[in-house]
Amino acid sequence: EIVMTQSPATLSVSPGERATLSCRASQSVSSNLAWYQQKPGQAPRLLIYGASTRATGIPARFSGSGSGTEFTLTISSLQSEDFAVYYCQQYNNWPRHSFGQGTKLEIK
Amino acid sequence: EVQLVESGGGLVQPGGSLRLSCAASGFTFSSYWMSWVRQAPGKGLEWVANIKQDGSEKYYVDSVKGRFTISRDNAKNSLYLQMNSLRAEDTAVYYCARDAEDRRTRSYYFDYWGQGTLVTVSS
């Protein structure tokens, strides 16, 4: 089983600033890594797949990087609507998937 | 517009059964792998099961093997999850999700999600 670990658990950032979220895999997942955003009471929303490709309609302020075991989601200038929980997910082991435990991005 | 609408959740006693449904629209349902993903209250996401386009392949997380069965009816554009021998730890919001192919690697992530249906297992 591939274990995904996200850090930090909670990140406090002011609007307009940059946020950097990390995700580590227990073994290489190549670039088979996706990021999702989830707001309270809502379903997750795909942001990034292939470690760095933005999904349709996702603003350019969201960017992903990394490969192998270390990945980063960067939000360049935080907007009020970006405060949410973010999950990474590996699909290298497809058809079995695993998610990180999430990072809560909160307003500082 | 892609839409996934789950139904069938509710309160059930430990050891009981429940059948979830997911109605799909806005895309060619029979062309996609489909999955169920769950989220316990206040917790993270957990993939539960997925099924190939024609239903010939099915995969499950270890914790539900032998208790849950995923199925689909392509004529009705519907996905199902039959849940038997339910336990308190199965309490969660259950999401239906569409598997999208990453064409570079031939692996699949989730590009669309339903709004979820809550399953509560309690006496």
Side-chain angles (χ1 to χ4, degrees), chain B residues 43-113:
Chain B
K43 302 297 185 183
L45 301 166
E46 180 183 41
W47 167 76
V48 174
N50 55 12
I51 185 169
K52 193 177 180 179
Q53 289 92 329
D54 62 0
S56 62
E57 294 183 38
K58 305 174 185 181
Y59 299 91
Y60 301 91
V61 68
D62 286 348
S63 59
V64 309
K65 279 181 185 175
R67 300 188 300 123
F68 289 13
T69 301
I70 189 172
S71 63
R72 64 192 296 162
D73 185 336
N74 288 341
K76 295 183 177 180
N77 291 336
S78 293
L79 178 71
Y80 306 101
L81 186 67
Q82 176 66 43
M83 303 186 295
N84 299 330
S85 304
L86 282 161
R87 307 166 180 167
E89 54 265 34
D90 296 318
T91 294
V93 173
Y94 284 73
Y95 295 102
C96 166
R98 189 177 83 167
D99 290 44
E101 184 182 10
D102 185 334
R103 301 199 172 189
R104 298 170 305 159
T105 63
R106 306 299 300 273
S107 290
Y108 293 76
Y109 53 92
F110 306 121
D111 63 346
Y112 287 95
W113 300 63

Side-chain angles (χ1 to χ4, degrees), chain A residues 24-63:
Chain A
R24 174 177 292 180
S26 60
Q27 64 189 76
S28 176
V29 298
S30 185
S31 60
N32 292 313
L33 192 286
W35 289 95
Y36 302 87
Q37 176 194 67
Q38 188 178 35
K39 297 179 181 179
Q42 296 186 15
R45 173 195 182 197
L46 175 67
L47 299 175
I48 301 282
Y49 64 92
S52 61
T53 303
R54 277 189 303 276
T56 303
I58 301 303
R61 64 180 182 272
F62 290 90
S63 63

